[in-house]
Amino acid sequence: MKTLNDFNFENKKALIRVDFNVPLDANFNVTDTNRIEAAKPTIIKVLEDGGSAVLMSHLGRPKGERNPNMSLKHIADKVSEIIGVQVKFVEDCVGEIAENAASALKPGEVLLLENLRYYSEETSGDQEFAKKLSKLGDIYINDAFGTAHRAHASTTIVAQYFEGHKCFGQLLAKEIDAIDKVMASGEKPVLAILGGAKVSSKITIIENILDKVDHLIVGGGMTYTFVKAKGGKVGDSICEDDKMELALEILKQAEAKGVQVHIPVDVIAADDFNNNAKTQVVDVDKIPDGWQGLDAGPRTLAIFKEVIKQSKTILWNGPVGVFEMENFAKGTISVGNSIIEATANGAFSLVGGGDSVAAVKQFGFQDKVSYVSTGGGAMLESLEGKTLPGIAAIVE
Ligand code: AMP
């Protein structure tokens, strides 16, 4: 796997696929700069070597049409401020004006191209479009993990034109490394904590992960499908009846593979899906009708804490309760705190995929775990064991 440090960018133009799909407010101010900051180390390495950088990204979903509300010109000043270099902007990402702007670039300079998705050829992975993009640089760098699961022109197809002259950016390399630590080279015991709403959306991950982990914590809404399948009473809790057989199959597979599965033993049950609902702590398999489990209970959290404390490698995907409601966030906060403690004691912890990242940010855990993934869908597909096209295109 080639990374940035395998190249010297002196007098070279790096064509960098970044993920600058950042949120903008009504006045087009960037409201979350994380993704720009995450791309900074790669850009700086190119510039410090004496090279120049051509940055390409999508923003929003313009669906193949020029849409001024989704122009990357809105973020040019913010990118300049963050990387400390005045960024030039060009109002197209291919064709004569883009090529002229790229060829006029001197060492130390940065050019930001217009939104790739103004062209439908980007998402369809069009060969000709990718070829046009490839004219804008000498070396291709993919640093956009958030789109690495898409075989788009700028994330995958363009790499064909850079044989021997392509590599991962620092951010993408860090993501790959973090996934590898959990899925392949993690110190044992390895623990996966899978929460979230539904078994159906996590099933491929569970199946893939059973071969890699020693412990599996199942939490959140998924709990009730498992509990009901084992004969428990789950009241009005979220439950996928058509997945009960699958849940039993997973438990059987886990046992055969020597994976210890930890399912909640008690829950905070509510009489409504509402922050102000009445609540009671009940055994997970004795939830009365009219009540639904919305968070893990105290005995459960004590067990989870013990398991987390003993683990050396931890993957966390999905909240263990309805953390968006304050009264049902305690379980997720407790799990987060246990992971932080384990991390401080030397464990490697990766948080990734969808809502667990939102939870980690909401509760301020992000700097205290080992790594928070920047890609929702891309992380989920990695955990499912899929090879991401954007990664394969660089490795080939
Ligand atoms: P996911 O995107 O699959 O990770 O699901 C995250 C969502 O699961 C969050 O919005 C949580 O509110 C929700 N969730 C977690 N626990 C429960 C539960 N016990 N009942 C209903 N929804 C839940």
Side-chain angles (χ1 to χ4, degrees):
M1 140 169 162
K2 277 203 168 139
T3 62
L4 275 186
N5 292 331
D6 295 313
F7 291 89
N8 185 326
F9 291 89
E10 193 178 359
N11 290 320
K12 300 279 186 219
K13 238 174 243 63
L15 176 64
I16 314 178
R17 177 52 157 107
V18 288
D19 181 1
F20 284 172
N21 184 27
V22 291
L24 302 177
D25 66 14
N27 298 316
F28 302 112
N29 297 307
V30 180
T31 55
D32 182 346
T33 57
N34 272 332
R35 286 179 168 171
I36 302 174
E37 276 150 26
K40 182 176 174 178
T42 295
I43 300 166
I44 296 296
K45 148 79 179 158
V46 169
L47 301 183
E48 281 183 353
D49 272 5
S52 56
V54 178
L55 310 179
M56 54 178 176
S57 177
H58 74 285
L59 176 64
R61 292 185 172 162
K63 302 207 164 132
E65 281 172 29
R66 295 189 78 89
N67 179 338
N69 292 336
M70 297 177 196
S71 171
L72 278 161
K73 76 172 182 225
H74 300 305
I75 76 159
D77 284 346
K78 189 47 86 180
V79 178
S80 303
E81 186 189 314
I82 289 172
I83 64 177
V85 174
Q86 188 59 47
V87 167
K88 295 168 192 287
F89 176 75
V90 58
E91 287 168 354
D92 212 339
C93 60
V94 286
E96 207 176 316
I97 66 162
E99 285 173 33
N100 288 343
S103 65
L105 217 54
K106 299 190 192 67
E109 291 186 336
V110 179
L111 175 69
L112 176 63
L113 304 177
E114 184 53 286
N115 196 336
L116 291 158
R117 292 195 190 167
Y118 279 4
Y119 291 86
S120 59
E121 290 91 335
E122 161 65 357
T123 48
S124 67
D126 184 81
Q127 198 78 41
E128 276 308 304
F129 181 73
K131 192 172 175 184
K132 284 184 195 164
L133 289 174
S134 74
K135 293 183 182 160
L136 306 175
D138 308 308
I139 299 170
Y140 170 67
I141 302 174
N142 190 352
D143 209 18
F145 181 66
T147 47
H149 59 316
R150 307 278 184 223
H152 292 172
S154 70
T155 64
T156 302
I157 315 300
V158 70
Q160 295 168 9
Y161 299 95
F162 291 92
E163 211 171 305
H165 294 86
K166 54 188 172 183
C167 65
F168 296 113
Q170 251 192 56
L171 173 65
L172 191 38
K174 270 202 310 205
E175 296 272 358
I176 294 170
D177 193 47
I179 294 165
D180 186 71
K181 277 208 178 98
V182 172
M183 306 295 271
S185 61
E187 192 184 335
K188 280 171 165 292
V190 181
L191 161 69
I193 304 165
L194 298 182
K198 291 180 167 177
V199 177
S200 49
S201 63
K202 299 285 160 84
I203 184 64
T204 327
I205 297 181
I206 299 179
E207 283 174 336
N208 184 47
I209 221 150
L210 283 181
D211 285 324
K212 338 262 180 202
V213 302
D214 306 294
H215 293 268
L216 172 66
I217 286 180
V218 172
M222 277 201 292
T223 305
Y224 309 99
T225 304
F226 282 88
V227 171
K228 189 170 173 188
K230 292 206 301 179
K233 271 189 65 193
V234 299
D236 293 359
S237 306
I238 185 173
C239 182
E240 293 169 281
D241 287 352
D242 61 332
K243 294 288 174 296
M244 290 197 310
E245 224 162 282
L246 195 59
L248 292 177
E249 180 55 32
I250 289 169
L251 293 176
K252 226 164 80 187
Q253 274 182 35
E255 195 179 350
K257 291 175 198 271
V259 178
Q260 288 191 50
V261 181
H262 310 273
I263 298 175
V265 291
D266 61 346
V267 294
I268 312 291
D271 65 352
D272 190 17
F273 190 79
N274 180 332
N275 189 45
N276 300 316
K278 258 197 251 152
T279 61
Q280 59 173 325
V281 176
V282 291
D283 287 352
V284 73
D285 56 353
K286 295 185 189 70
I287 303 174
D289 288 339
W291 294 76
Q292 53 188 303
L294 293 186
D295 201 5
R299 280 193 293 130
T300 301
L301 293 175
I303 296 169
F304 285 2
K305 185 177 179 165
E306 232 8 76
V307 178
I308 294 168
K309 219 167 88 180
Q310 290 166 13
S311 300
K312 287 281 169 231
T313 303
I314 302 164
L315 165 72
W316 186 18
N317 171 275
V320 299
V322 184
F323 75 99
E324 297 93 334
M325 297 184 201
E326 199 188 339
N327 290 335
F328 307 106
K330 289 191 192 77
T332 299
I333 295 173
S334 161
V335 164
N337 278 327
S338 301
I339 295 174
I340 287 173
E341 214 179 299
T343 310
N345 289 327
F348 176 82
S349 53
L350 164 65
V351 183
D355 274 319
S356 34
V357 173
V360 158
K361 285 186 179 161
Q362 184 176 324
F363 303 126
F365 296 148
Q366 70 265 41
D367 299 325
K368 300 176 191 139
V369 295
S370 308
Y371 195 72
V372 180
S373 175
T374 57
M379 175 54 73
L380 292 177
E381 290 197 17
S382 302
L383 299 178
E384 286 173 355
K386 292 184 187 146
T387 305
L388 308 188
I391 292 176
I394 299 284
V395 174
E396 269 165 19

